Amino acid sequence: MASKKTAALYKDRYFRTNQKWVCGRAAIGNVCPRGPSRKGECSGAYECAPTCVNGRWRCTRPTEYGGPCDAPGTAHAEFGPVVRDGVGVCARPVGCIPVRSLRSRRGLINTIVTAITLGLVLTALGSPWRNRIASPGALTTFHAGATFDTAATRTGGKGASENLCGVCHTATLDDAFSTLFSEAPTAEEHRTESQNCLQCHDDLGAQPLAPHSLDAGILAALTDGKGPEPSEPSPSPTLALATAFTIGNPLSSNQLDCATCHHEHNGRQYDLTQMDNTTCQACHENPFTGLESGHPEFSSQSNGDAYSWPYLRRTGLIFDHQRHENTHFKEESLAGFSPTGCIDCHVFESDNALPALAPFEKTCGACHLKDILRASDDGLFFVGYPALEKDALEAISAEAYPRVKEAPLSEFMLLLLSGDAAYGNEPARSAEQFSEDLATLTEFNRDLNEMIYEGEEDAALRVIASIERLMDRLEAGSGDGDTAPLQEVLESITGSPGLEETEMAALLGPFNSGEKMTAIAEDLSGFHIVAAQGWSASMNGSPLSKSEWSAAVAGVSEFDALSESTEAAAFATWFQDFTAFRPWFEESVRIADGRWTSKSTGRSLRASDWKKVAANAPGFTALEGGDEAAAAFTKWFQSQSKFKKWLSANVTISDQGWFAAASPYAIRYRPLGHADPFMRSWLDLSARLSGSNASAERLFRQLAGRAITSGTVGSCLRCHSVDSDSDSGLRINWTPRPARRAFTQFNHAPHQRIMSCSECHATADAGDKGESLAAYLDGFRAEIGSAEIGVDFTSFTSNYGAIDKASCVRCHTPKQAGNRCLLCHNYHVDSLAAPGATYHTTNQ
Amino acid sequence: MSALVRRRASGLATVAVFSGLAILAAKGYRLSLGNPSFVTGWVLMGVVLFLAAYTVRKKVPTLPLGSSRLWLQIHCYTGLFSVVLYFVHAGLRLPSGLIESTLGLLFCLVALSGIVGLFMTRLFPRRLTSKGGEVVYEAIPEHRMRLKQAADSLAEESIEHTGFTTVSRYYEEQLQSFFAGPKNYVAHLLEVAAPRRRLLREMEEKERYLNAKEKEYFTRLAEQVEEKDRLDYQYALQRTLKLWLFVHIPLTYGLLVLAGTHVLVVYVFSVAA
């Protein structure tokens, strides 16, 4: 076979495949046996180098290249070397342009591809868009766009639009080399990018990077011994795998970077919160495979702790569903008000996990609003002078104390006095002195008169002095831009700046303006109590007496000189007699809102008008043409501005009468409806301070006094429960659900659409829970049968039966409604773990 | 079970074991809140560098680093393992960043060309041997030229010995271009013999119009055609065996450059993380 011959022919040939250059005629099958040089130059100008044999030049072309061209009998026998200058030369010149070998061409392509790739990379990384080019993928919609950019910049993010990567990353390509070759970051610096996240996500509690955002000690306390034994003898292989790889578990440092669970750069719609069920259990001691298999029962009786899920704590509102449903709503008189079903009161909204409660006016208010609006309520004595009897004043030689008819010292006043740093005679022990006197006041039921009569004059005097300091402060008001006096007092009690602006405004009411108490009282006195938003001023504190008027007149220097003049005696006597002067003045002048008007014309009283009015005063004509003193007095009396200024400084004139200008005003408050901001803020404040301030505790007891069966006081806490809070005293639950459960969540809306409420919230069997039905209200009392407020939120017996796991497992399987851990459980719990939040843990 | 089958089975089993371990380790690492990307990334980078080192090994055959055959075996199985490792590292999803997308595309092209090359290097030599007539690739053009010269000579001789130009004209019109260069490249790769059969059938059909002498030359020309077809077969398969490296190796260099860039970017953005 020819092919075999060919194979044999070329098997020993060397084709220079490993060399860079090969003969340019290789492609046409006429390769030169010499081959090109290393530099790719043709070195084979002829097919052979003839040799001289016996005087004849013979062709030496190798056999594999066709053999000698002058061999006899061959097709080319006529050829052969030619002789030039006596030397045989090949007659077949074979010059070529050498070409690269395949290997060399491949090497060249390798170099070109590498160079192009490197060039493109360097160009890209050197361009202004290098950070975008280097981005491993699109950010989620939450972290992309102008809103995030703006927010990140506002909260101190490193970069803005021109360096978006720097918003989250501490290092970018802009400082690539300095970053790469800088010192290794410390453990603290490793947290930096997570801290960038927390610039915006600042609602994750005090330890946002700790497991479950909880302090390790708290987490340990919550989990220690609480969990049941694992119900499965052996976890799944995946679970075993997760627990086996502790090498990658960052829990060892008790700090988890945000990126541990939240993986960005995975596209616009990527779910940053997705978490594999197994991953959750990588840290958990007793792992299990799912809700239906291994998950602990919701309610349990292990380790001495009984859980009756989800009723682990008291409700925010004290509402006995059983009693209302079975008794009140069946009354004929309430036929038009009684709800027909759960959804009449509970409103289910898709975006709210918990059902909202319909407004008070549409639910409880139908029957209970009248409790708040009782007309017999006189309101609360907020600030003012407490009443002191004449005998008591004389006993302590305090005749200057205003004679008022107000009730005994109010609890509000007592709390305000507790902030008096100058209380008592010894500044160093003012707080201690106040506590002692408070005990005395308590003993005498806040009645200063009794204290004086019973020999506690010193204590009474200290209290009175403190009251006068407070009232003087309120009367002085604040200058422009200064803090309102009452705000200063509150801040000294709560610790500045312990209160929010809105809370402070609600606490201060009209005193928030910083106006003088006199002005506030005058303003309030001009309005009906509804128009004044529940505020009123008592103006009957100190009507102007004759002696006070005489003393005020005697204080006029011009009058002092006049009194020596015999001609002016009649006028002086008239002017000093309040009962004579007042009718004359009121006959001529009317004062309204600080403006003087003429009674005859009804127009504003000008200086010239007053001059005429003054000239008509009884006995005034005797002064005309008198001595120098008479002239001076005449000038003063006829000057409207001077007279008006003196009168305003000494007398307060209103529709209710003439009062000494320095006389006290009692400011009262009366709630006009549900959710009253003043009552709510003072209840909150006094509850919060009740653990540290005895006066606050007294005020809270007064405002929360359920024993009071009439009036507004105490009405709030007939329905709103109170929790004890180790961090901040007591806390009033103004919302139906005081705090979300920390570790669990549940969205009622989708469930409510497909099933009835009673499928889960079944009334407790009266036969089994008869005692608990009766004990529902007792859970909100300090002890059974008492009216004292119970503050232990764990002391609770629901009149609904517990929900068991089986009711959820019916639908929540992997193939049906899903059973991911995060479907029901929260990870970041600290932000939700407000005081009173329920921690219901399994064994983790 | 032959030694070859045993060897391949053990090689594939080793790849499967390592792949399984890598998948389990990465999954376990991730489930335990660790980030396996750094570890798997560096392992993948090391594996790719090792695979690329095969080229270096071939360029320096004198180094005592084991036989090239052994290297090729390891190269193939490691390459297979690298594919698994890539998906462990990047996940079963399309990368979305520009660098990562390009890197992923390059890796897939390199891996795909490697797999295609692996199959060709295992399949083509067997086909070449079974066909017979193996010729050194570099000698094919020369042999082709000699075949053409022989065919030319036959055509010339036929005029002289038969006295007619029928054979030579047919050769000039129908066969000269066939002998001029490589033909039916794709058909040979795909093991399709139809073009050769068609040509021979045409010649067979023409024979009825020839006299005895002409038929003799026609038969000898047909033999040359078959010889040329075998040579083209050799050429097509051997050339493909050489050209696939023009895809596999240059893309590998591009892959290495982009992989280095990827490492740089990842470390810049994570050094203070």
Side-chain angles (χ1 to χ4, degrees):
Chain A
M1 184 181 273
S3 60
K4 287 184 178 174
K5 289 179 192 170
T6 311
L9 184 65
Y10 298 111
K11 71 175 184 181
D12 296 327
R13 284 273 300 278
Y14 175 57
F15 293 99
R16 303 171 186 274
T17 52
N18 285 336
Q19 292 188 7
K20 192 173 180 180
W21 298 96
V22 294
C23 180
R25 298 191 307 174
I28 59 171
N30 190 19
V31 64
C32 161
R34 291 190 175 184
S37 68
R38 285 185 177 182
K39 293 183 178 178
E41 295 166 344
C42 179
S43 57
Y46 300 96
E47 285 191 350
C48 76
T51 56
C52 186
V53 179
N54 298 326
R56 185 173 178 178
W57 293 94
R58 310 292 302 184
C59 177
T60 58
R61 190 168 68 181
T63 309
E64 59 267 30
Y65 291 102
C69 64
D70 54 358
T74 64
H76 313 295
E78 67 275 15
F79 292 105
V82 294
V83 179
R84 290 177 188 165
D85 300 331
V87 177
V89 178
C90 178
R92 299 170 66 86
V94 289
C96 75
I97 300 173
V99 295
R100 287 177 178 273
S101 65
L102 270 181
R103 188 190 181 101
S104 174
R105 285 183 206 177
R106 204 173 65 209
L108 186 63
I109 292 175
N110 290 344
T111 307
I112 291 170
V113 168
T114 307
I116 289 174
T117 312
L118 199 58
L120 286 174
V121 165
L122 290 176
T123 306
L125 296 185
S127 73
W129 311 283
R130 54 181 165 271
N131 285 327
R132 291 186 186 278
I133 291 170
S135 171
L139 297 165
T140 55
T141 49
F142 308 106
H143 291 156
T147 306
F148 172 69
D149 195 14
T150 307
T153 308
R154 189 181 62 242
T155 53
K158 184 179 177 181
S161 297
E162 68 276 6
N163 182 18
L164 200 56
C165 302
V167 174
C168 300
H169 293 283
T170 52
T172 66
L173 286 174
D174 299 337
D175 44 12
F177 288 99
S178 61
T179 305
L180 278 178
F181 298 107
S182 61
E183 288 184 13
T186 63
E188 279 302 312
E189 287 169 341
H190 267 295
R191 297 270 97 80
T192 310
E193 290 196 353
S194 293
Q195 296 300 335
N196 284 346
C197 302
L198 299 174
Q199 293 277 336
C200 294
H201 299 277
D202 56 356
D203 56 347
L204 298 177
Q207 299 193 41
L209 301 182
H212 287 293
S213 302
L214 279 177
D215 178 78
I218 294 175
L219 196 59
L222 285 168
T223 59
D224 186 28
K226 290 270 178 71
E229 292 300 317
S231 56
E232 280 199 344
S234 59
S236 67
T238 317
L239 216 48
L241 187 68
T243 51
F245 274 84
T246 52
I247 185 172
N249 196 327
L251 286 174
S252 53
S253 64
N254 201 39
Q255 294 278 296
L256 288 94
D257 289 332
C258 303
T260 304
C261 301
H262 306 296
H263 303 141
E264 254 299 359
H265 290 292
N266 281 303
R268 289 274 186 270
Q269 304 303 322
Y270 185 79
D271 181 7
L272 283 174
T273 60
Q274 68 177 2
M275 175 74 83
D276 190 276
N277 280 357
T278 315
T279 307
C280 290
Q281 300 186 69
C283 309
H284 291 195
E285 291 175 6
N286 295 330
F288 50 85
T289 52
L291 176 66
E292 71 283 3
S293 175
H295 189 288
E297 289 293 336
F298 299 156
S299 303
S300 67
Q301 295 275 349
S302 65
N303 300 319
D305 292 329
Y307 300 121
S308 181
W309 196 83
Y311 313 109
L312 309 179
R313 58 148 299 140
R314 294 185 326 199
T315 50
L317 291 184
I318 306 170
F319 184 80
D320 188 344
H321 282 82
Q322 301 289 316
R323 197 180 299 273
H324 279 77
E325 192 175 344
N326 298 330
T327 308
H328 302 319
F329 295 159
K330 290 182 178 175
E331 292 176 14
E332 288 184 9
S333 58
L334 297 177
F337 304 105
S338 300
T340 55
C342 304
I343 58 172
D344 283 2
C345 298
H346 298 283
V347 181
F348 296 90
E349 296 170 347
S350 299
D351 52 348
N352 284 334
L354 290 170
L357 199 62
F360 172 84
E361 291 73 18
K362 293 184 178 177
T363 53
C364 311
C367 298
H368 295 287
L369 185 60
K370 64 179 183 293
D371 294 340
I372 298 173
L373 300 177
R374 281 187 178 159
S376 59
D377 191 355
D378 292 330
L380 298 162
F381 178 19
F382 182 48
V383 290
Y385 284 98
L388 280 177
E389 294 170 0
K390 185 179 178 183
D391 294 342
L393 290 173
E394 287 175 358
I396 59 172
S397 303
E399 287 83 358
Y401 187 85
R403 284 161 293 157
V404 292
K405 297 177 181 177
E406 281 300 339
L409 186 59
S410 77
E411 299 290 2
F412 285 105
M413 287 287 287
L414 267 182
L415 177 57
L416 295 174
L417 296 185
S418 70
D420 184 4
Y423 187 86
N425 305 323
E426 301 173 56
R429 58 185 300 271
S430 62
E432 188 182 346
Q433 186 71 69
F434 181 78
S435 295
E436 291 173 6
D437 292 347
L438 186 64
T440 309
L441 276 166
T442 304
E443 185 183 338
F444 288 96
N445 196 24
R446 290 178 285 136
D447 191 339
L448 289 169
N449 296 305
E450 284 298 313
M451 283 176 65
I452 294 167
Y453 297 148
E454 295 298 327
E456 295 289 347
E457 294 94 341
D458 291 342
L461 278 171
R462 286 191 290 271
V463 173
I464 290 168
S466 183
I467 290 169
E468 287 177 331
R469 272 193 297 275
L470 174 66
M471 296 303 289
D472 287 347
R473 207 167 169 181
L474 296 180
E475 187 53 48
S478 63
D480 293 339
D482 290 345
T483 308
L486 204 52
Q487 180 176 341
E488 290 176 350
V489 173
L490 282 179
E491 285 178 349
S492 71
I493 296 168
T494 60
S496 180
L499 299 169
E500 297 286 337
E501 191 177 342
T502 51
E503 189 181 4
M504 181 63 81
L507 286 166
L508 299 185
F511 288 94
N512 193 40
S513 65
E515 282 190 72
K516 294 178 181 179
M517 187 170 167
T518 308
I520 293 169
E522 285 178 351
D523 286 345
L524 293 175
S525 63
F527 293 100
H528 186 269
I529 190 167
V530 175
Q533 297 179 324
W535 292 94
S536 61
S538 295
M539 302 297 291
N540 59 349
S542 179
L544 191 67
S545 65
K546 286 183 178 179
S547 59
E548 285 170 338
W549 174 258
S550 297
V553 170
V556 180
S557 58
E558 288 82 354
F559 182 81
D560 193 35
L562 182 71
S563 60
E564 296 174 2
S565 171
T566 51
E567 293 83 358
F571 178 82
T573 303
W574 170 82
F575 188 46
Q576 274 191 303
D577 184 0
F578 175 52
T579 56
F581 178 81
R582 180 179 170 180
W584 170 82
F585 184 84
E586 289 182 341
E587 192 177 327
S588 309
V589 181
R590 182 172 179 273
I591 299 177
D593 298 331
R595 291 178 61 206
W596 287 22
T597 53
S598 170
K599 274 215 166 177
S600 56
T601 63
R603 291 182 306 176
S604 178
L605 198 71
R606 290 175 295 184
S608 56
D609 296 333
W610 167 251
K611 195 171 182 180
K612 292 175 185 172
V613 170
N616 291 328
F620 185 78
T621 51
L623 299 178
E624 294 175 342
D627 55 11
E628 190 177 339
F633 179 80
T634 302
K635 188 178 180 182
W636 173 82
F637 188 64
Q638 284 192 303
S639 167
Q640 186 187 20
S641 60
K642 289 180 179 176
F643 185 77
K644 189 177 180 181
K645 185 178 179 183
W646 168 81
L647 192 63
S648 300
N650 292 279
V651 183
T652 299
I653 302 172
S654 72
D655 293 341
Q656 297 177 19
W658 288 44
F659 300 88
S663 66
Y665 293 85
I667 306 296
R668 304 181 72 87
Y669 182 77
R670 179 187 157 198
L672 298 177
H674 181 251
D676 183 85
F678 176 82
M679 289 297 291
R680 181 170 169 166
S681 57
W682 276 99
L683 270 165
D684 279 338
L685 179 68
S686 58
R688 197 159 65 232
L689 299 176
S690 61
S692 57
N693 187 315
S695 299
E697 185 185 2
R698 289 179 57 92
L699 176 61
F700 176 72
R701 284 180 177 279
Q702 184 204 19
L703 298 178
R706 287 196 191 133
I708 300 171
T709 54
S710 66
T712 303
V713 176
S715 291
C716 304
L717 302 192
R718 288 173 67 187
C719 297
H720 294 280
S721 64
V722 181
D723 293 344
S724 71
D725 180 356
S726 57
D727 294 331
S728 55
L730 301 177
R731 192 172 53 84
I732 301 164
N733 298 310
W734 297 113
T735 54
R737 186 80 179 252
R740 291 171 62 185
R741 285 187 177 81
F743 280 99
T744 55
Q745 58 179 330
F746 184 80
N747 192 341
H748 278 80
H751 293 84
Q752 186 265 338
R753 290 191 202 106
I754 58 171
M755 56 201 296
S756 69
C757 304
S758 59
E759 284 187 60
C760 294
H761 300 286
T763 307
D765 187 347
D768 297 336
K769 297 189 69 177
E771 290 182 5
S772 63
L773 288 174
Y776 173 78
L777 289 176
D778 287 332
F780 298 93
R781 296 168 179 146
E783 54 187 65
I784 293 174
S786 74
E788 190 73 14
I789 294 172
V791 295
D792 179 8
F793 58 80
T794 62
S795 171
F796 177 60
T797 304
S798 173
N799 40 25
Y800 281 99
I803 298 173
D804 59 357
K805 192 179 75 169
S807 59
C808 298
V809 172
R810 274 188 303 164
C811 300
H812 286 280
T813 60
K815 291 181 179 176
Q816 206 174 346
N819 68 347
R820 291 187 306 111
C821 300
L822 294 181
L823 198 62
C824 305
H825 290 284
N826 301 315
Y827 175 77
H828 291 288
V829 298
D830 192 54
S831 60
L832 309 174
T838 307
Y839 294 106
H840 174 52
T841 62
T842 55
N843 58 326
Q844 288 75 38
Chain B
M1 187 183 288
S2 68
L4 178 65
V5 173
R6 273 203 306 277
R7 195 182 68 210
R8 288 185 179 173
S10 63
L12 288 173
T14 307
V15 170
V17 167
F18 274 97
S19 301
L21 285 175
I23 292 168
L24 286 175
K27 187 172 178 63
Y29 203 77
R30 186 175 287 114
L31 289 174
S32 62
L33 300 179
N35 183 4
S37 296
F38 283 93
V39 178
T40 56
W42 274 119
V43 173
L44 182 59
M45 187 71 181
V47 166
V48 170
L49 284 172
F50 173 76
L51 290 168
Y54 179 48
T55 305
V56 181
R57 168 66 187 82
K58 284 200 297 184
K59 283 181 179 172
V60 194
T62 52
L63 288 176
L65 296 173
S67 68
S68 183
R69 183 167 164 271
L70 178 65
W71 270 82
L72 180 60
Q73 290 288 322
I74 296 173
H75 182 86
C76 293
Y77 291 116
T78 310
L80 205 57
F81 173 61
S82 74
V83 174
V84 177
L85 206 55
Y86 170 80
F87 287 108
V88 170
H89 175 66
L92 294 171
R93 64 181 180 83
L94 290 174
S96 51
L98 183 61
I99 292 177
E100 279 69 19
S101 298
T102 315
L103 189 59
L105 180 67
L106 276 180
F107 185 88
C108 289
L109 287 175
V110 170
L112 199 64
S113 62
I115 291 167
V116 170
L118 175 65
F119 277 99
M120 286 195 303
T121 53
R122 293 296 175 270
L123 186 65
F124 284 10
R126 210 178 305 155
R127 283 169 58 183
L128 288 168
T129 307
S130 65
K131 280 273 183 181
E134 290 173 87
V135 182
V136 178
Y137 175 76
E138 286 75 13
I140 288 176
E142 193 174 339
H143 186 48
R144 188 190 305 123
M145 185 194 72
R146 290 186 184 284
L147 283 175
K148 184 176 181 301
Q149 284 174 352
D152 286 347
S153 299
L154 277 174
E156 283 177 30
E157 280 178 38
S158 69
I159 300 171
E160 190 178 335
H161 288 94
T162 62
F164 294 103
T165 59
T166 313
V167 173
S168 65
R169 200 164 59 243
Y170 178 80
Y171 172 77
E172 190 179 341
E173 290 173 1
Q174 302 294 329
L175 299 178
Q176 201 166 33
S177 64
F178 175 74
F179 283 98
K183 296 292 175 189
N184 307 321
Y185 191 99
V186 178
H188 287 310
L189 281 181
L190 301 175
E191 200 76 21
V192 175
R196 175 175 56 88
R197 286 183 192 141
R198 190 167 56 244
L199 192 58
L200 291 174
R201 193 166 56 246
E202 281 177 14
M203 292 179 74
E204 199 177 326
E205 287 170 357
K206 294 283 189 257
E207 271 192 5
R208 72 181 70 170
Y209 306 108
L210 304 177
N211 59 33
K213 284 190 176 178
E214 286 173 330
K215 281 184 182 176
E216 185 188 335
Y217 279 99
F218 232 61
T219 305
R220 289 170 66 185
L221 272 177
E223 287 174 358
Q224 293 295 319
V225 166
E226 288 199 28
E227 181 73 12
K228 168 66 171 41
D229 186 73
R230 273 194 290 274
L231 194 66
D232 285 346
Y233 184 84
Q234 292 282 332
Y235 177 78
L237 267 62
Q238 288 194 43
R239 186 169 178 78
T240 306
L241 278 175
K242 290 182 183 298
L243 287 187
W244 78 272
L245 290 173
F246 277 70
V247 176
H248 188 65
I249 296 177
L251 288 180
T252 301
Y253 282 104
L255 175 72
L256 287 174
V257 172
L258 271 185
T261 310
H262 174 66
V263 171
L264 172 80
V265 169
V266 166
Y267 270 84
V268 164
F269 281 100
S270 64
V271 74

